[in-house]
Every structure is written in structure tokens, then in C-alpha cells.
Amino acid sequence: MRQAKERAGRVSANRDSAESERAGAARVRPAAGGRGETRLGMVRRARKIDRVLGEVYYYAHPELDFENSFQLLVATVLSAQTTDLRVNQTTPRLFAAYPTPEDMAAADPAALEELIRPTGFFRSKAKALIGLSAGLRDRFGGEVPGRLEDLVTLPGVGRKTAHVVLGNAFGKPGITVDTHFQRLVRRWRWTEQKDPEKISATSASI
């Protein structure tokens, strides 16, 4: 019931804010930038962009359904090369079968693969889920760590996944660098870097 209400609220918010999105999109432009721009000028411009985006997309939220940090971590790993909707359709049965890292670490690979088959790349994802669950069990007391340095040591967890978990489960701001963000930071002239890790570091320092 709670999730149904949340989805209904999101639909309403999307509809109500459609007009403001069209108006706000025109306010977020590449702007000056370039060789003559000082760092202070770039920082001010970046903060204005952040403020405008916050006003336009005030209803922004994670699309993945989860109730705890472990579920979010698993769902984020599953979301690679598929849609969040497909993941949300898959995870209820998955979490019912394997509610804890200890349960998933002991999963039969074939059974786990069958449950996550709809998300694609199910063999490699099952291997990663069993591996990261074993890592949580053996090295972190069955708890998802709240540090980037720890998260990226788990199988199947890169910086992008780690930042999603840190931001949405622990409230720790971070830069999730995907293809779209890479395109935008170059359009906004925040950086000319192409390596995701360098883009993340540069953007976070603004």
C-alpha cells in the first residue's frame, strides 16, 4: 500500500511539474565558461545549476524499490543493462527467498540465476550477488558498509553503484557518473575529463 501511494504521488508530481520542467530547462544552459572563466565563476555557475535543477526536479527520488541498504545494493547491481521497472518486478521474490546477506551468500547459483533471469546477464549478476553477500557476511558482520572505500571492494560493486548506495541509504552525497552525467558536465563546462573517477572527483570539488 505504501509503495502504491508513493507511485501515485510520483505520477501526480510528474504531471504537476511538467510545465515547470519546460520552463526550467531553458534556465539550465551551458553558460559562459571557457578559458576566461575563473574557478570562482565556475563554482558560482555550478551552484546556480544545482539550485535550478533542485527547483525543477524537486520530486527527484530513487526509482528502485528497497527497504534497507542491502536491498538497495542488490537492486542497484541488478539494474545494470536493464530498467529499474524490471528490477522492481524481480526483487520481491528475490528478497523473499534471500532476505539477508547470509541467505544470499548460501544461495544455490542455479536457483538464484532463475530468480534474476528477467534482469539479463543473470549468470554474472548471480555470481556478483553471491560474492558481495559473502563479503558482507565475512568482512562486515552482515552489514552494508557506509564507506566508499569498503563498498568498492565487494564483487560487482563499482564507484557508481557505491555512490548510489551511499547517497540513498546513508545520506552521504556523492557524484554518480553515468553516460548522461558525463555528457552534461562537458556541456556545462565543468570539466573536460572523460574518466568517470576523475569526473566524480572534479565535480565533487566544485
Side-chain angles (χ1 to χ4, degrees):
M1 180 64 72
R2 178 180 62 83
Q3 291 179 350
K5 289 182 179 179
E6 289 178 351
R7 289 194 181 94
R10 293 199 291 263
V11 171
S12 176
N14 289 345
R15 185 183 302 113
D16 294 342
S17 64
E19 200 64 37
S20 65
E21 286 185 27
R22 286 193 289 271
R27 297 162 60 193
V28 183
R29 298 185 181 279
R35 296 177 180 176
E37 185 178 40
T38 65
R39 175 167 178 77
L40 178 60
M42 183 178 69
V43 168
R44 286 175 174 170
R45 185 163 54 83
R47 290 178 178 175
K48 180 180 179 180
I49 290 173
D50 181 65
R51 184 173 65 255
V52 170
L53 290 175
E55 293 171 354
V56 175
Y57 299 100
Y58 60 88
Y59 54 87
H61 62 278
E63 294 289 345
L64 294 170
D65 294 336
F66 65 96
E67 295 182 356
N68 54 55
S69 56
F70 174 62
Q71 289 187 0
L72 176 59
L73 178 59
V74 170
T76 306
V77 170
L78 290 177
S79 70
Q81 305 300 314
T82 191
T83 64
D84 290 345
L85 176 60
R86 181 57 59 88
V87 174
N88 290 339
Q89 292 171 340
T90 302
T91 50
R93 291 180 59 208
L94 176 66
F95 295 143
Y98 310 108
T100 68
E102 291 81 3
D103 295 321
M104 194 168 288
D108 173 65
L112 180 57
E113 288 173 6
E114 191 59 32
L115 278 175
I116 66 173
R117 180 184 290 269
T119 67
F121 301 95
F122 56 91
R123 291 190 179 88
S124 60
K125 289 180 180 180
K127 182 178 180 181
L129 293 183
I130 291 174
L132 73 84
S133 297
L136 294 176
R137 178 195 62 195
D138 299 339
R139 294 191 284 120
F140 299 104
E143 300 291 334
V144 175
R147 298 198 318 154
L148 176 68
E149 297 83 355
D150 294 329
L151 283 169
V152 296
T153 66
L154 297 169
V157 180
R159 294 179 66 87
K160 177 181 173 182
T161 295
H163 278 306
V164 170
V165 173
L166 290 173
N168 293 288
F170 294 94
K172 295 182 178 180
I175 304 296
T176 303
V177 181
D178 58 10
T179 302
H180 306 294
F181 188 78
Q182 291 184 49
R183 174 177 57 82
L184 287 172
V185 293
R186 286 194 288 273
R187 180 181 179 186
W188 293 335
R189 300 188 183 120
W190 286 1
T191 180
E192 294 299 322
Q193 297 286 351
K194 295 183 178 180
D195 178 76
E197 187 169 338
K198 291 180 180 179
I199 291 175
S200 179
T202 301
S203 301
S205 69
I206 296 176

